[in-house]
């Protein structure tokens, strides 16, 4: 360990000569970490890139913490040094635009997949009399797939709210929101956490909840890692169903499609027998995509073709729903599903159903990942664009984007589904459209560098993203980016809107030296004369 610290010190001295940072040697030599600091080129290289594959920023070193104490020690050293150095928490590396990078600083590998000190001991689920619910305390770097497996094995329980892809870290999704088709009913993942342990930018570890240090609690939820690093989260659990009835139906009329989606999410207060448990949808403008990695529901031996269904203008819309159940109630399930489907106006004869274990449904996207990895098509650039669109303007978005800008090639799935705003706590840092119903529209594209088709190039897809954003701006559609990426201070201020002032206040309170989350691009180090944060503070 001491040898690693000495090597780290040498690296910092080299950095000082190039960027002028001043780090006091004693601070690093006295850290006394239980985990590891690595200068290995492979580790540094891995922490320099992310799933987006569009940016590269090398840290000085990578730390694999053995405990929250290691995180505290590192952040305190950065905060207490003459000018500080960037520190960033990295889960499983699934950011898109370098949000978890720490150029010239230290990346903390929070996921156990980056650990070198063995598996972390997990807490067992607990039943709370006061909450009248189960919960489990988990490490901030734990992946949701591992939490699912653990809670299923220990009491047949599962978290309530999910993301579509489970190989993401708890701290990562809670720093954004964590959304999927259950959000209309349970709310996003940030609405299903009771308590956090957070290491602030001052190196203080604080326990926070709705009642204790509430300002930090709500600030960190959706706070893009700007105020602290989540080292522990108390996650709400529920008894897990055994199986899932997975249903997909197709639409050629967008108005009917969105009307049916909004009807289904309006049933969130209904008895479980009278509603679905999950509601999502996606847009199909490319015939090949109806059976793609995200849409592997349909059998390759019986593929669905757009030409076989009366699509309007070459665009189809797919609505997918699930109903949780136990095998003992199969006949009753059929009646409940039939009753719900009778109220929808999808294309006749387009109903597809399958039945599978609950855990298999939740982990469905990973199966597609394995297929793409086998073909060498997973580690490519991913110029994703995720938007929250006001429900009142979704038809305008359809006409201007799905039917005009996209053409007939999308290079990946396009998700679209509505959510209920009242399921989101406005005290969190997340910003959503100012309407009760708003839509998630996610362009999950992959750029293929070796493709002969220009429509699959990174340049083309990135330009198309800009055209989509420009269209929304010109049409007055007040979208908000999810997993946001902005360049200027004015863009960030516009993004946060009425929450911007509070955001600045929390940054000054919990990370005054701008050590944390620099990869997001919201703030520069406080020592920088052009720091957006410093400029805003100077005007107060």
């Amino acid at each position: 360990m001491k040898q690693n610290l000495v090597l780290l010190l040498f690296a910092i001295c080299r950095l000082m000569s190039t960027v002028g940072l001043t780090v006091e040697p004693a601070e690093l030599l006295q850290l006394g970490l239980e985990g590891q600091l690595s200068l290995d080129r492979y580790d540094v290289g891995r922490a320099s890139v992310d799933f987006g594959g569009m940016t590269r920023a090398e840290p000085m070193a990578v730390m694999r913490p053995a405990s929250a104490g290691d995180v505290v020690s590192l952040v305190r050293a950065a905060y207490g040094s003459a000018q500080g150095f960037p520190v960033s928490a990295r889960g499983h590396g699934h950011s898109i635009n370098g949000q978890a990078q720490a150029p010239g600083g230290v990346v903390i590998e929070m996921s156990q997949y980056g650990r070198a000190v063995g598996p972390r001991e997990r807490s067992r689920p607990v039943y709370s009399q006061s909450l009248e619910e189960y919960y489990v305390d988990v490490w901030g770097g734990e992946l949701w797939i591992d939490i699912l497996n653990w809670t299923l094995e220990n009491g047949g329980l599962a978290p309530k709210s999910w993301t579509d892809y489970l190989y993401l870290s708890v701290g990562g999704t809670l720093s954004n929101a964590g959304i999927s088709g259950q959000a209309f009913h349970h709310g996003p993942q940030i609405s299903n956490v009771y308590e956090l342990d957070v290491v602030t930018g001052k190196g203080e570890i604080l326990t926070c909840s709705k009642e204790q240090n509430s300002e930090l609690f709500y600030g960190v939820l959706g706070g893009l890692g700007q105020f602290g690093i989540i080292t522990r989260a108390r996650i709400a659990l529920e008894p897990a169903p055994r199986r899932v009835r997975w249903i997909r139906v197709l639409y050629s009329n967008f108005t009917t499609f969105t009307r049916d989606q909004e009807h289904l999410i309006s049933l969130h207060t209904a008895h479980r027998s009278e509603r679905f448990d999950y509601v999502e949808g996606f847009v199909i403008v490319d015939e090949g995509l109806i059976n793609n990695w995200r849409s592997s529901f349909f059998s390759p031996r019986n593929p669905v073709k757009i030409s076989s269904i009366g699509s309007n203008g070459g665009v189809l819309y797919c609505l997918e729903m699930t109903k949780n159940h136990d095998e003992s109630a199969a006949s009753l399930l059929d009646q409940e599903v039939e009753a719900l489907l009778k109220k929808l106006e999808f294309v006749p004869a387009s109903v597809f159903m399958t039945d599978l274990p609950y855990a298999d449904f939740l982990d469905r996207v990973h199966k597609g990942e394995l297929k793409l990895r086998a073909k060498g098509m997973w580690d490519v650039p991913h110029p994703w664009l995720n938007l929250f669109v006001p429900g009142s303007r979704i038809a305008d978005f359809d006409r201007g984007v799905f039917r005009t800008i996209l053409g007939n090639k999308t290079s990946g799935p396009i998700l679209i589904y509505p959510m209920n705003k009242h399921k989101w706590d406005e005290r969190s840092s997340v910003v959503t459209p100012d309407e009760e119903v708003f839509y998630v529209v996610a362009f999950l594209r992959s750029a293929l560098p070796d493709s002969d088709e220009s429509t699959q190039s990174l340049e083309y897809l990135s330009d198309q993203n800009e055209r989509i954003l420009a269209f929304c701006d010109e049409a007055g559609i007040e979208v908000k980016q999810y997993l946001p990426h902005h360049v200027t201070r004015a863009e960030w201020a516009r993004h946060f809107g009425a929450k911007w002032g509070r955001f600045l206040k929390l940054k000054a309170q919990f990370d005054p030296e701008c050590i944390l989350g620099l990869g997001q691009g919201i703030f520069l180090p406080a020592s920088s004369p052009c720091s957006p944060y410093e400029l805003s503070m100077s005007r107060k």
Side-chain angles (χ1 to χ4, degrees), residues 214-266:
S214 60
E215 195 171 36
L216 179 62
F217 179 73
Y218 289 114
V220 166
L221 295 175
L224 306 178
Q226 295 304 301
F227 316 123
I229 296 172
I230 298 171
T231 57
R232 179 185 65 88
R234 179 164 290 179
I235 304 298
L237 303 176
E238 65 178 356
R242 297 178 67 87
R243 298 188 66 80
V244 165
R245 176 69 55 86
W246 189 8
I247 306 148
R248 281 186 172 170
V249 294
L250 300 175
Y251 292 77
S252 59
N253 183 281
F254 186 74
T255 301
T256 306
F257 169 68
T258 54
R259 185 176 64 237
D260 281 359
Q261 281 194 316
E262 292 183 27
H263 163 69
L264 292 177
I265 71 166
S266 73

Side-chain angles (χ1 to χ4, degrees), residues 57 169 220 222 230-231 298 312 394 478 518:
S169 70
V220 166
I230 298 171
T231 57
F298 301 112
N312 181 9
I394 196 65
E478 297 185 359
L518 296 189

Side-chain angles (χ1 to χ4, degrees), residues 133-149:
E133 287 192 325
Y134 289 92
Y135 68 79
V136 66
D137 288 322
V138 299
W139 170 247
E142 198 83 69
L143 301 189
W144 287 100
I145 180 64
D146 296 321
I147 296 172
L148 173 64
N149 291 333

Side-chain angles (χ1 to χ4, degrees), residues 514-533:
C514 293
I515 291 166
L516 303 176
L518 296 189
Q520 290 282 354
I522 306 173
F523 303 106
L524 298 175
S527 59
S528 170
C530 58
S531 166
Y533 166 68

Side-chain angles (χ1 to χ4, degrees), residues 166-472:
L166 303 189
Y167 287 74
L168 302 173
S169 70
V170 170
T173 64
L174 293 183
S175 295
N176 287 281
I179 56 175
S180 186
Q182 302 89 355
F184 82 94
H185 180 59
H186 291 297
Q189 290 180 324
I190 58 173
S191 295
N192 293 276
V193 56
Y194 296 127
E195 189 175 275
L196 301 171
D197 282 348
V198 176
V199 178
T200 71
K202 297 178 181 179
E204 303 169 322
I205 185 164
L206 299 175
T207 297
C208 54
S209 65
K210 294 179 181 179
E211 296 79 24
Q212 179 182 8
N213 295 314
S214 60
E215 195 171 36
L216 179 62
F217 179 73
Y218 289 114
V220 166
L221 295 175
L224 306 178
Q226 295 304 301
F227 316 123
I229 296 172
I230 298 171
T231 57
R232 179 185 65 88
R234 179 164 290 179
I235 304 298
L237 303 176
E238 65 178 356
R242 297 178 67 87
R243 298 188 66 80
V244 165
R245 176 69 55 86
W246 189 8
I247 306 148
R248 281 186 172 170
V249 294
L250 300 175
Y251 292 77
S252 59
N253 183 281
F254 186 74
T255 301
T256 306
F257 169 68
T258 54
R259 185 176 64 237
D260 281 359
Q261 281 194 316
E262 292 183 27
H263 163 69
L264 292 177
I265 71 166
S266 73
L267 302 177
H268 62 89
T269 59
H271 187 272
R272 62 186 305 271
S273 64
E274 299 175 338
R275 61 170 170 79
F276 287 113
D277 296 289
Y278 159 101
V279 176
E280 281 197 15
F282 55 93
V283 181
I284 306 162
V285 299
D286 180 347
E287 188 159 294
L289 291 178
I290 199 167
N291 300 290
N292 73 355
W293 66 268
R294 176 56 179 74
S295 310
S296 56
F297 175 91
F298 301 112
S299 169
R301 291 172 294 182
N302 185 28
V304 178
K305 293 186 176 295
I306 290 179
S307 57
S308 67
I309 297 173
S311 62
N312 181 9
V315 181
L316 283 176
Y317 310 94
C318 181
L319 172 59
E320 64 177 11
M321 307 143 286
T322 68
K323 199 146 185 46
N324 301 336
H325 69 97
D326 296 315
E327 295 169 319
S328 59
S331 59
L332 185 60
L333 172 71
D334 292 339
Q335 296 175 24
E336 293 174 357
V337 169
E338 184 178 359
L340 284 165
L341 292 181
K342 277 185 177 179
K343 297 180 181 179
L344 307 181
E345 298 183 42
F346 47 83
V347 174
S350 72
V351 181
F352 297 83
M353 295 191 195
T354 190
D355 212 84
L356 69 169
Y358 183 61
D360 287 358
F361 170 74
L362 293 178
D363 198 28
R364 63 199 180 280
V365 175
H366 182 56
K367 295 178 174 61
E369 174 192 350
L370 296 177
K371 293 177 182 178
L372 288 183
R373 284 190 181 279
K375 297 177 181 178
M377 296 175 62
W378 184 257
D379 295 320
V380 298
H382 296 94
W384 286 11
L385 178 64
N386 298 273
L387 302 174
F388 291 153
V389 182
S392 65
R393 302 301 304 276
I394 196 65
D396 298 325
F397 191 93
D398 171 57
R399 286 188 291 270
V401 177
F402 300 149
R403 297 181 178 278
T404 303
I405 293 177
L406 288 186
N408 64 353
K409 294 290 183 182
T410 65
S411 296
I414 306 170
L415 306 187
I416 174 171
Y417 57 95
M419 291 189 284
N420 297 310
K421 187 179 179 72
H422 73 273
K423 294 290 184 178
W424 296 61
D425 196 314
E426 280 299 293
R427 292 170 291 184
S428 77
S429 293
V430 178
V431 286
T432 61
D434 192 21
E435 295 186 9
E436 171 55 27
V437 173
F438 64 92
Y439 281 77
V440 177
V441 181
F443 300 88
L444 309 181
R445 284 96 77 81
S446 300
L448 304 179
D450 298 327
S451 174
D452 294 330
E453 292 192 39
S454 61
T455 56
Q456 294 183 333
S457 70
L458 176 59
E459 181 181 7
Y460 179 90
L461 295 173
S462 298
D463 178 68
Q464 195 173 75
N465 286 345
E466 292 302 317
R467 290 175 59 199
I468 292 170
L469 292 172
F471 163 77
C472 292

